[in-house]
């Protein structure tokens, strides 16, 4: 029997669309309902075979669903859960793919009526593109997915969500919301803050009469690809993971200031050691 | 007639080896002599067909060459030019591929005897790998190469070097050494300083009992690839382009501090505008 009978996906974009595609491919779901605000995107999703049908009304859309996956920007998730809560079928499992967990999980748990269950999640997979047309079935293959169960989390509901991500090709890791938010602040949110700042700095350097970005080669392009990511999504993440993002930005600034100091002193040994340590760290993950 | 009769390449690594490969492929050179300190690397270069023969002695190696290309780390270039200067054949053109020009070009011009000519150069192309085995003929295809002629530069010598890079597939751009050093500090040296610092910061974050780098996914890996670059080469660059690198690091820090301020205030409009400006800049170069 398929893992999911009726899957409702709220926000059929890169993350929601990719999950729909892979679960269908694996025969893990009988019916997929897409929920969103824009009819054009949802119609496209039907055309692409990503969803079977759609609803612009979340309340109607989640009717009879045994699993609801929220994949809208993080600032909208709590409101959305509040809207659908009264309409959920008994036994329904609600989970999300939002990039921040601390501000989301406890409120969502409180909003759900007894007999329905919330499980916080975050696939560590993505691209700098958005929308259902950017979605693809292999997005989660070989990636990690972090789930953040709490003392309240129902064991059965957690197992269902774990199984779903395993079917999507991911390795599931569970950790508490606090650790999740620090870890992703370090490995994902900080790099985005750095990349956005770097592109703005280089683009804002006006010592010459031409835009020097035109001299950038492949290295710069690869390095700054993540600065093409959706501004609204990243605004939400910066707002919702504020404390951990600030901590990591300050932590980075200390290292950057340390390196600046080595450059200023012309400390060749110190510079080489700094770069070698970094190369070693980097090569260990490639 | 081939553009170059005898090409001497000092430092047969990624940059020197790739130039040798493409010039041979284009039939632009009759004989290629490799010069280096390590016999294993040079023997490998002969085996790979990158060079015809080699010498461990720069003075013997440049004998009879009509073009000498220096592709060793930037701190070694001036010394190397001093060593080979007395041995150069009349009419010989000496050029380099070093990533810094301000500290190199004037001293090298002074070191060369009358009737031999220096032209400073820097291909804006590369990878994070080093050594002749990482070299490939297409490295310069479609890339820019910056040359930095001065009032002293011989017109004939400049034309020969321009032609050489055009045969390698590059678009040649001329600018003064000062502008070169600022431009590359912005588009290349700063991103490296940022990437090295980022990897060290994330690798040094020890709030949890495990190394959180293991959670990093594709985005982080792409973003930090340049932190795998050769530490000694980047030590040299940071030492030799100190002033411009410091200027750009401080310029970046202002933008980063501005973004930090928006995060701290929870300024959603400001954050979205900052990210959107960056996305616009970034998308314009992709
Ligand atoms: N992209 C990544 O790399 C990545 C990785 C891991 C997790 N995430 C998380 O996954 C979620 C979705 O990201 P995504 O990359 O899939 O974005 P996306 O491609 O833009 O898709 C988001 C979808 O949500 C809907 N939406 C947008 N704004 C909304 C709002 N204010 N209220 C309600 N619905 C809204 C949109 O559909 P309609 O316009 O039809 O409503 C859109 O299709 C976010 O929470 C993000 O933090 C992203
Ligand atoms: N990699 C890039 O992305 C890039 C891009 C543009 C310009 N550049 C510039 O190109 C030059 C070469 O870089 P590369 O990437 O080709 O490096 P590489 O692959 O390491 O090659 C450099 C070669 O120089 C020789 N060498 C190393 N240290 C030396 C020293 N102290 N004195 C004399 N020779 C030495 C080495 O050969 P032996 O051990 O046999 O002597 C080595 O094969 C540097 O000036 C760099 O700034 C690099």
């Amino acid at each position: 029997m398929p893992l999911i009978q009726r899957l409702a996906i709220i926000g059929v974009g890169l993350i929601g669309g990719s999950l729909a595609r892979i679960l269908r491919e694996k025969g893990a779901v009988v019916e997929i309902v897409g929920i969103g605000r824009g009819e054009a995107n949802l119609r496209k999703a039907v055309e692409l075979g990503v969803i079977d049908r759609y609803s612009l009304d979340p309340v109607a859309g989640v009717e009879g669903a045994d699993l609801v996956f929220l994949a809208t920007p993080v600032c909208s998730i709590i409101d959305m859960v509040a809207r659908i809560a009264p309409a959920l079928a008994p036994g329904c499992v609600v989970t999300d793919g939002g990039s921040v967990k601390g501000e989301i999980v406890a409120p969502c748990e409180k909003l759900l009526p007894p007999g329905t269950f919330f499980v916080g999640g975050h696939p560590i997979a993505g691209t700098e593109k958005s929308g259902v047309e950017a979605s693809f079935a292999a997005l989660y293959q070989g990636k990690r997915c972090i789930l953040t169960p709490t003392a309240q989390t129902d064991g059965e509901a957690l197992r269902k969500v774990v199984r779903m991500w395993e079917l999507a090709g991911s390795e599931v890791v569970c950790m508490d919301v606090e650790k999740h938010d620090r870890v992703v602040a370090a490995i994902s949110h900080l790099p985005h803050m750095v990349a956005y700042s770097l592109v703005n700095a280089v683009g804002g350097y006006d010592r010459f009469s031409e835009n020097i970005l035109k001299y950038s080669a492949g290295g710069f392009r690869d390095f700054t690809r993540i600065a093409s990511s959706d501004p609204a999504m990243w605004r939400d993440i910066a707002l919702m993971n504020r404390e951990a993002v600030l901590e990591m930005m300050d932590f980075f600034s200390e290292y950057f200031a340390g390196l600046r100091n080595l450059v200023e002193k012309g400390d060749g040994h110190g510079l080489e050691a700094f770069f070698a340590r970094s190369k070693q760290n980097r090569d260990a993950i490639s």
Side-chain angles (χ1 to χ4, degrees), chain A:
Chain A
M1 201 177 80
L3 179 71
I4 304 164
Q5 301 307 305
R6 183 178 292 171
L7 170 64
I9 297 208
I10 308 185
V12 188
L14 172 70
I15 294 299
S18 295
L19 186 65
R21 284 178 191 267
I22 184 66
L23 291 178
R24 188 187 299 284
E25 207 175 285
K26 295 285 177 186
V29 57
V30 178
E31 189 191 21
I32 306 180
V33 185
I35 296 162
R37 306 161 309 168
E39 198 153 5
N41 183 54
L42 292 166
R43 220 179 281 134
K44 187 87 214 165
V46 172
E47 269 169 41
L48 293 169
V50 173
I51 56 174
D52 296 304
R53 58 183 177 87
Y54 65 82
S55 170
L56 295 173
D57 174 12
V59 168
V62 300
E63 199 194 316
D66 54 326
L67 200 138
V68 174
F69 181 63
L70 293 136
T72 58
V74 284
C75 282
S76 64
I77 290 178
I78 298 174
D79 282 354
M80 194 58 80
V81 170
R83 283 177 69 185
I84 60 170
L88 296 171
C92 181
V93 175
V94 179
T95 186
D96 77 318
S99 306
V100 177
K101 298 270 71 76
E103 301 262 331
I104 286 177
V105 174
C108 289
E109 282 180 339
K110 283 206 199 74
L111 285 166
L112 290 197
T116 65
F117 312 101
F118 188 79
V119 178
H122 178 202
I124 308 299
T127 73
E128 73 285 2
K129 308 234 174 62
S130 317
V132 70
E133 293 184 77
S135 69
F136 57 102
L139 177 61
Y140 304 116
Q141 184 60 45
K143 301 288 161 52
R144 284 200 178 75
C145 180
I146 300 178
L147 299 182
T148 57
T150 68
Q152 270 77 64
T153 303
D154 178 76
E156 202 62 43
L158 178 60
R159 273 190 293 280
K160 186 163 182 165
V161 177
V162 168
R163 193 77 198 102
M164 177 181 85
W165 285 110
E166 286 175 350
L167 285 167
S170 294
E171 181 197 335
V172 175
V173 183
C174 289
M175 59 178 74
D176 60 48
V177 293
E178 158 81 355
K179 178 168 176 180
H180 168 275
D181 283 2
R182 303 278 164 183
V183 167
V184 299
I187 60 161
S188 168
H189 305 175
L190 171 63
H192 279 82
M193 299 304 124
V194 165
Y196 279 127
S197 299
L198 180 74
V199 171
N200 276 344
V202 176
Y205 188 71
D206 59 2
R207 193 183 170 113
F208 304 109
S209 55
E210 56 185 352
N211 186 337
I212 61 173
L213 278 173
K214 77 176 194 202
Y215 294 109
S216 59
F220 188 84
R221 278 198 268 266
D222 290 346
F223 186 60
T224 58
R225 180 159 298 120
I226 57 177
S228 276
S229 301
D230 183 47
M233 170 174 148
W234 282 94
R235 172 204 61 205
D236 274 23
I237 291 173
L239 292 172
M240 298 279 283
N241 201 20
R242 184 174 157 279
E243 199 212 319
V245 170
L246 282 177
E247 181 195 356
M248 283 312 304
M249 289 180 87
D250 291 341
F251 197 66
F252 166 82
S253 290
E254 279 174 42
Y255 279 78
F256 194 68
L259 175 56
R260 187 204 181 282
N261 197 28
L262 295 173
V263 176
E264 183 162 42
K265 286 191 303 189
D267 178 350
H269 288 294
L271 287 166
E272 191 170 358
F274 190 96
F275 299 153
R277 190 161 76 246
S278 182
K279 179 176 170 57
Q280 199 183 356
N281 273 320
R282 176 57 187 72
D283 288 346
I285 59 166
S286 65

